Every structure is written in structure tokens, then in C-alpha cells.
Amino acid sequence: QVQLVESGGGVVQPGRSLRLSCAASGFTFRTYAMHWVSQAPGKGLEWVAFISNDGSNKYYADSVKGRFTISRDNSKNTLYLQMSSLRAEDTAVYSCARDPGLDVWGQGTTVTVSS
Amino acid sequence: EIVLTQSPATLSLSPGERATLSCRASQSVSSSLAWYQQKPGQAPRLLIYDASNRATGIPARFSGSGSGTDFTLTVSSLEPEDFAVYYCLQRSKWPLTFGPGTKVDFK
């Protein structure tokens, strides 16, 4: 079945880096654009980043621009989010979602930024 | 960026009642608006895309309407499993933005 599984979350100190992964299965990954979305504890959804199916187009939320980088490896059916210069306010569950429509979501991986 | 405002913040209703949720955009998003349902501990679920199209497998009691800046999600008769938080998302312009959500809870 169609599935997205995130990994790579954890506890990290402010200013450090972390790379999240999203493994896709059950569909032709290389033909779909993808998104990352975050949700801070007890808060609403926040869109983070987008990448086109071939990786040629990328867009970011203003809050992460210059610090986060979205990428993908279509040969491995995997989406990535490289997070650097992490801040306490980046603490959230990060989920990947399939475009168009963000119709398929993973369960998310938790990132906690704390000293 | 386009700001989405959802009202009310909380809607207290009973099963069988009609729910009407509003999403207003700070500028026109044409029909590029989607609705999602999220239950505690679960991933969001796409309900409506392009303002009025039900996603695959979504019951007919869910309907969306509107265009431009004003949108409505209607649940014609609430089932117990419909009590959740609902978010709108605009995908007209980058960056994409979500509304703050409307919680539908039991009266």
C-alpha cells in the first residue's frame, strides 16, 4: 500500500544540525512532488518545504529559508530534510506528504531542540 | 504570505447536527484551497481539494464551497468519528500556508 515513513528525529542542541528522511513505498515516487510539514507540540500545522518530482524546483517557508534544505534521491525512493542552525522554535513533529493535494502523509518524526 | 483565518476556533455540536466551518484568505487564492481533518495522534487526512472536490474515499456528508477569499467546509450530519480538528490550506502562492484550525468537539 501507499506509505511514507519518516526517520531521523531526535534531541539536538540549539545551533546543531539534523537530517530527516522519508521513505516512500507503494507508488512511483519519482513522478510525485513532495512536501515537509511540521507541527509543534499542541499547535497547528505549518508547511515547511516543497520539492518537485525531479528536484529542480524547491520552495521554503520564510521561517526556515537559508537553514533547511529539501532534497530527494529518486533511486532510493527517499525524501530528505537537512536542518541546520536549529532553534528551540523548530521543536516539532516533522511529516512528509505527497503532492498534489498532500493526499498521503507519514506519521512523522519528532525533533526536539534543547540544550 | 497569504494568511488564512478560520472561524470559529471551536465548534461545540452534537452527533447528527450540521457543522459549518469557515476559512478566509487575506487575498484571493482562486479555488486553490484544501481541507484536512486531524485526530489526536494521527496524521492529517485530506478531505477536500480545489475548494469543492472530495478526496478519494471521503463520505458525501463532507462538502466544500467558495472561491477567492471565502471558503466553507460543511459536514451535513456529524458522525461520532467527525469530532476532530479541521485545517484549511492554500496552495495558490508560495509559501503555502495553513489556517490555525477549527476544533469540532462534543457539546
Side-chain angles (χ1 to χ4, degrees), chain B:
Chain B
E1 73 177 37
I2 296 176
V3 176
L4 298 181
T5 303
Q6 291 188 244
S7 61
T10 303
L11 194 54
S12 297
L13 296 169
S14 300
E17 290 192 294
R18 183 183 188 89
T20 303
L21 289 66
S22 173
C23 177
R24 178 165 290 178
S26 59
Q27 60 183 273
S28 176
V29 299
S30 185
S31 295
S32 299
L33 190 108
W35 290 94
Y36 299 83
Q37 176 194 69
Q38 189 179 33
K39 299 178 184 178
Q42 295 187 18
R45 175 193 181 195
L46 174 66
L47 300 175
I48 302 288
Y49 64 93
D50 293 344
S52 60
N53 297 289
R54 270 191 305 278
T56 302
I58 301 303
R61 63 181 182 273
F62 290 93
S63 63
S65 64
S67 66
T69 61
D70 290 302
F71 300 86
T72 300
L73 174 69
T74 301
V75 188
S76 58
S77 178
L78 283 165
E79 296 288 339
E81 61 268 27
D82 299 336
F83 289 85
V85 180
Y86 293 82
Y87 296 95
C88 55
L89 167 75
Q90 70 81 20
R91 45 185 300 122
S92 173
K93 292 183 180 177
W94 303 104
L96 303 192
T97 47
F98 283 95
T102 290
K103 182 178 183 180
V104 178
D105 65 11
F106 288 97
K107 181 159 62 177

Side-chain angles (χ1 to χ4, degrees), chain A:
Chain A
Q1 73 278 23
V2 175
Q3 194 172 12
L4 297 170
V5 179
E6 302 90 342
S7 61
V11 180
V12 60
Q13 293 179 328
R16 304 298 290 263
S17 299
L18 203 61
R19 188 178 82 159
L20 307 183
S21 299
C22 166
S25 60
F27 64 100
T28 307
F29 179 71
R30 67 178 183 275
T31 66
Y32 286 86
M34 298 292 295
H35 300 261
W36 283 101
V37 177
S38 68
Q39 188 165 31
K43 302 297 184 182
L45 301 171
E46 181 178 5
W47 176 81
V48 174
F50 164 92
I51 186 168
S52 59
N53 66 305
D54 62 358
S56 60
N57 291 295
K58 302 176 184 180
Y59 298 95
Y60 299 92
D62 290 345
S63 60
V64 307
K65 202 174 294 183
R67 300 189 301 122
F68 291 10
T69 301
I70 190 171
S71 62
R72 64 191 296 159
D73 186 336
N74 286 342
S75 69
K76 296 182 178 179
N77 291 341
T78 303
L79 174 73
Y80 302 101
L81 185 67
Q82 179 68 47
M83 312 167 75
S84 61
S85 303
L86 282 161
R87 307 166 179 167
E89 54 264 36
D90 296 322
T91 294
V93 174
Y94 287 78
S95 300
C96 55
R98 189 178 77 170
D99 204 60
L102 286 80
D103 63 338
V104 177
W105 294 64
Q107 285 298 316
T109 186
T110 301
V111 174
T112 303
V113 184
S114 174
S115 54

